Amino acid sequence: MLVPDVGIWKKAYGESHTGVPINTNMILTIGSNTKTYIATLMLKLQEKGLLNISDTIGKWIINKPYTNGKVTIKQLLNHTSGFGDFSYNPLFIEAIRTDFYRGWQPEEMYQFFEPPYFTTPGSDYRYSDQNTLLAGIIIEKVTNEPLKNSLRELVLSPVGLDKTVYYPFEKTTLTIPHSWSADYSVTGELEDLDAIGYSRIAFCSADNAAGGMLSTAEENARFWNALMSGKNINQNSLELMKQFVPAGAPNFGYGLCLEQRINFLNGRTVFAHNGYVPGSINDNAYDPQSGVCITILTNQDAIKNCKPVLETLHKVTLQYKK
C-alpha cells in the first residue's frame, strides 16, 4: 500500500509451500493487470507520434482469423471490438496443460482465436484477451523490436520498476512462490501446482500482452501511483485512458485497460484492474481522493474476491487527502 507523502506499507502472509513462508520480496504473476501496462505503452507511443489509437488494426493485422481490420486500437483497449477470447478455447487450454514449459510466440495464438461476440465494433463491451494480445503484436510491428524492450524503455525504467518483468521473455532473480489452484484438482481442493510440474512459462508466454507480467506488490503499487499521478503518461493520455464505457455491471466502467469502480471502497470511486493466472489472483485500487494505491497479490486462485481485504486496508487511509 502506497500513501503519498507518508510511505509504503507492505506485509506478507502465508506460505509458498510447506516450510517456506511468503515474503514481500517474492515476485508473483499479475495476470490481466498486465493490460494496464500495455495500454500505458500504447499511449506513450501515441505521444511519440508513432501511432494513433484511432488507427484501425488492419494497418498491421492482415488476413488473420476473426480479426476485423476495421477495429481500432482504442476498441482493442476498451474491449468494444467484439472479438472472441482464445483463453476459453478448449484446444488452447489443452495445449497449455500438455507442456507447461513451452514458450509461445504471440502469432501462434491465431490458431486458437474464437469467433466474435458481436460484429459491429464499438456497439457493445465484451472483455477478451484477444484484444490486448493483438495490441502487443501491433506494438512490436510499430517499434520493430520485441515488446519487452519498449515496455522496459518507456514504461518500467522511467519510474524505477526494476523488479517487474515481462515473463518469460525477461528473467527474474527473485523467488516466485508456488502456485495453488483448485481448478486443476479433481477433488476441488487447493493443489500445489509446482509440485505436479506446473510452470508459468507456457501460460504467461501464451497470454503475452494480455497477462504475462510478474511483479512485487510494492512495485505494482508504484506503477499505479506513477500512472495515475501523470508521471508515466501525460495528462491528455490519462484523460483518454479514463474515457469509460459501460462494462456490463452496475457502477462499473472500462476505459483503456482501466476499470472505474463507482462507490466501491468505503463509498469512494476507485480506478483499478485485477488479474488471474492459474494459481494466482490479484487486485488493485487507486483512490483519486487521497492518491492511495493498494495492491494485493496472492499465490492461490481460490480467493475469488479481494474486495474485503482492499476495503479493510483502504479504511485505515481515509484520514489522508491529496
Side-chain angles (χ1 to χ4, degrees):
M1 180 166 63
L2 185 154
V3 180
D5 301 320
V6 177
I8 291 276
W9 179 88
K10 51 188 177 180
K11 178 69 175 178
Y13 176 80
E15 289 187 331
S16 163
H17 51 290
T18 303
V20 180
I22 291 278
N23 67 64
T24 57
N25 287 321
M26 289 182 174
I27 188 169
L28 286 82
T29 50
I30 63 171
S32 287
N33 209 315
T34 300
K35 293 178 171 68
T36 312
Y37 290 74
I38 297 302
T40 301
L41 177 53
M42 273 289 193
L43 290 166
K44 293 282 282 189
L45 294 176
Q46 178 171 266
E47 290 174 12
K48 292 172 129 342
L50 296 177
L51 56 78
N52 191 299
I53 62 169
S54 64
D55 291 337
T56 55
I57 69 169
K59 188 174 180 179
W60 301 279
I61 310 292
I62 301 170
N63 295 326
K64 299 300 181 183
Y66 303 123
T67 53
N68 180 355
K70 295 181 180 179
V71 166
T72 66
I73 291 173
K74 182 176 182 179
Q75 289 165 342
L76 292 181
L77 298 179
N78 68 10
H79 296 283
T80 62
S81 69
F83 288 156
D85 196 338
F86 69 86
S87 296
Y88 297 104
N89 185 326
L91 295 177
F92 166 73
I93 296 169
E94 180 60 29
I96 297 299
R97 292 190 180 207
T98 298
D99 185 355
F100 288 132
Y101 285 87
R102 174 175 174 175
W104 294 81
Q105 294 299 319
E107 289 80 4
E108 294 182 277
M109 294 301 103
Y110 285 125
Q111 65 185 295
F112 302 119
F113 272 24
E114 290 280 270
Y117 290 122
F118 53 90
T119 56
T120 303
S123 64
D124 202 351
Y125 164 91
R126 189 68 184 264
Y127 188 90
S128 169
D129 282 348
Q130 276 176 215
N131 288 316
T132 329
L133 180 92
L134 288 169
I137 290 173
I138 290 170
I139 289 170
E140 291 193 334
K141 291 179 180 293
V142 168
T143 61
N144 197 32
E145 62 179 1
L147 181 54
K148 66 175 183 177
N149 292 2
S150 53
L151 192 59
R152 177 67 50 193
E153 177 187 351
L154 297 177
V155 177
L156 302 178
S157 292
V159 291
L161 303 183
D162 300 324
K163 297 176 181 177
T164 303
V165 296
Y166 190 60
Y167 193 79
F169 307 100
E170 290 184 311
K171 304 303 181 184
T172 179
T173 59
L174 299 179
T175 299
I176 304 173
H178 285 209
S179 297
W180 293 76
S181 178
D183 295 339
Y184 278 69
S185 174
V186 294
T187 65
E189 298 294 324
L190 278 176
E191 181 176 31
D192 183 350
L193 296 184
D194 292 64
I196 61 170
Y198 176 73
S199 162
R200 295 144 203 83
I201 291 173
F203 192 93
C204 286
S205 63
D207 224 26
N208 208 273
M213 295 182 71
L214 278 63
S215 188
T216 65
E218 177 181 350
E219 284 217 344
N220 195 55
R222 290 189 183 279
F223 164 75
W224 280 86
N225 172 261
L227 173 64
M228 303 309 295
S229 61
K231 296 174 184 175
N232 211 322
I233 55 177
N234 66 33
Q235 194 59 40
N236 288 339
S237 294
L238 189 55
E239 290 307 310
L240 285 173
M241 186 174 268
K242 293 179 182 177
Q243 290 181 358
F244 299 103
V245 299
N251 299 326
F252 184 80
Y254 201 91
L256 304 187
C257 298
L258 178 70
E259 299 171 1
Q260 182 187 47
R261 304 177 188 174
I262 299 171
N263 299 324
F264 181 74
L265 288 184
N266 300 300
R268 290 192 180 178
T269 295
V270 300
F271 302 124
H273 209 296
N274 58 11
Y276 163 84
V277 170
S280 178
I281 291 281
N282 74 84
D283 207 353
N284 308 280
Y286 171 82
D287 179 354
Q289 285 185 239
S290 63
V292 166
C293 303
I294 304 172
T295 287
I296 299 170
L297 303 181
T298 74
N299 68 323
Q300 54 127 312
D301 58 26
I303 301 174
K304 299 301 183 183
N305 184 3
C306 294
K307 182 182 178 182
V309 181
L310 285 173
E311 195 152 45
T312 300
L313 293 172
H314 179 259
K315 189 172 293 184
V316 304
T317 73
L318 293 178
Q319 60 185 300
Y320 299 108
K321 295 181 180 180
K322 290 176 72 175

